[in-house]
Amino acid sequence: MDYIKPGQVINQMVEVGKTKAEMSVMNMFIRGVLAGAILACATTLAFTATLQTNLGIVGALIFPVGFVIIVLLGLELVTGSFAFIPLSVIKKQTTVGKMLKNYTWVIAGHLVGCAIYAALYGLTVSKMGTDLASPLAQLLVKTAEAKTIAYKDMGMNGMMLVFIKAILCNWMVTLGAVMAQTSSSTVGKIVAMWLPILIFFGQGFEHAVVNMFVIPAGMMLGAKVSMGDWWIWNQFPVLVGNFIGGALLTGLLLYLSQKGYKTSLGNTIEMNQSRRDTAVAEKIV
């Protein structure tokens, strides 16, 4: 059996978080660049499938390929680390300073990787800038505006909406990262992590790294979105929401659920042992 039990998974999460936090800056940055570009590529594949089939769920079924590649190659996806490193901090296996260093350099890597892919894909989908009306180019433009201007037009309700969608998104994304730890086989890891990623993408939740590609790509292709619109009405609140969803709903609550289970199990064992000792004593008497 290649199934790894939840209690063991929690221990692995702590170890993974510690490893991520102690990685060199160069490794953090390069792995962040690659992860950002790969996730961006998976996003355009999902968009292509959606346009070809007119079914958003088909794009959602395909999108997890990027996440699978990132996890299996051991690259750095900051949204996944939002569940692992805070847990390592709680268990005193690393420090808040090292956690923030990881997030800073990995996010910087994501921005570079996503920007490079956005520029190359923009040239491809627009035929070197000669066809900005192509369906894929227009889909990126509309998506970028929907992720920024649409929230801005709603005011504070829009800010709360994007924040909530970010929390829900990374609850699923980090569950995907954790589910990859539940199997020791490659096939098992792929199947396990595929499910939560499908859930998030299929419902249009807000993922910080996907948005690091989609919004700049849309801007390059003519979306009426400013840098302020991007960061104030999407990127910053989404990063915060993603952190809360990963650290609280996945990292902390999974840890507490397994901690409680082990405590209850331990109490049951001690109680049964006490009863056996009492029975033996009575027999001796």
Side-chain angles (χ1 to χ4, degrees), residues 3 6 17-18 27 39 41 50 60 81-84 103 110 113 168 187 228 253 255 261-262 276:
Y3 173 65
K18 178 182 178 181
N27 278 344
L39 202 65
C41 190
T50 298
S81 298
F82 284 164
F84 292 96
Y103 292 165
H110 290 338
L168 294 175
V187 173
L253 291 187
Y255 167 71
Y261 169 76
K262 289 188 290 185
R276 285 195 294 269

Side-chain angles (χ1 to χ4, degrees), residues 238-249:
V238 169
L239 276 169
V240 175
N242 282 175
F243 177 79
I244 292 173
L248 179 61
L249 298 184

Side-chain angles (χ1 to χ4, degrees), residues 1-221:
M1 293 292 289
D2 61 9
Y3 173 65
I4 299 172
K5 295 181 179 180
Q8 295 172 282
V9 170
I10 298 299
N11 292 333
Q12 289 183 4
M13 288 174 66
V14 175
E15 288 300 315
V16 169
K18 178 182 178 181
T19 300
K20 288 177 177 291
E22 295 182 351
M23 200 178 298
S24 71
V25 168
M26 183 62 71
N27 278 344
M28 292 176 189
F29 181 74
I30 293 175
R31 294 184 188 192
V33 170
L34 290 172
I38 290 169
L39 202 65
C41 190
T43 301
T44 56
L45 175 64
F47 282 2
T48 301
T50 298
L51 281 176
Q52 290 175 343
T53 63
N54 290 320
L55 293 171
I57 192 64
V58 176
L61 283 166
I62 292 173
F63 173 76
V65 296
F67 189 83
V68 167
I69 294 170
I70 290 167
V71 172
L72 292 183
L73 290 180
L75 302 178
E76 283 296 299
L77 190 66
V78 73
T79 46
S81 298
F82 284 164
F84 292 96
I85 304 181
L87 194 56
S88 297
V89 172
I90 291 172
K91 296 292 290 182
K92 298 182 179 179
Q93 297 299 304
T94 191
T95 65
V96 173
K98 290 182 179 179
M99 177 181 74
L100 294 177
K101 183 179 74 172
N102 175 277
Y103 292 165
T104 299
W105 285 104
V106 172
I107 288 172
H110 290 338
L111 288 168
V112 171
C114 288
I116 292 172
Y117 184 78
L120 296 176
Y121 185 77
L123 291 172
T124 302
V125 77
S126 67
K127 298 178 182 178
M128 300 303 289
T130 63
D131 184 17
L132 295 177
S134 71
L136 280 167
Q138 286 303 303
L139 179 57
L140 282 168
V141 169
K142 292 177 181 177
T143 303
E145 293 177 347
K147 287 179 171 290
T148 53
I149 297 173
Y151 293 129
K152 182 179 180 180
D153 290 343
M154 292 176 65
M156 287 309 300
N157 283 337
M159 185 64 72
M160 285 301 300
L161 177 59
V162 71
F163 181 66
I164 292 170
K165 290 170 74 173
I167 292 174
L168 294 175
C169 169
N170 218 39
W171 179 27
M172 291 297 104
V173 171
T174 48
L175 278 181
V178 172
M179 290 287 281
Q181 305 292 319
T182 64
S183 174
S184 59
S185 74
T186 301
V187 173
K189 287 177 178 291
I190 291 172
V191 173
M193 73 177 88
W194 203 283
L195 305 176
I197 307 305
L198 163 64
I199 292 172
F200 115 71
F201 199 86
Q203 297 186 83
F205 294 150
E206 294 287 346
H207 188 265
V209 184
V210 170
N211 293 346
M212 289 177 192
F213 159 70
V214 172
I215 298 174
M219 292 166 68
M220 292 177 188
L221 293 167

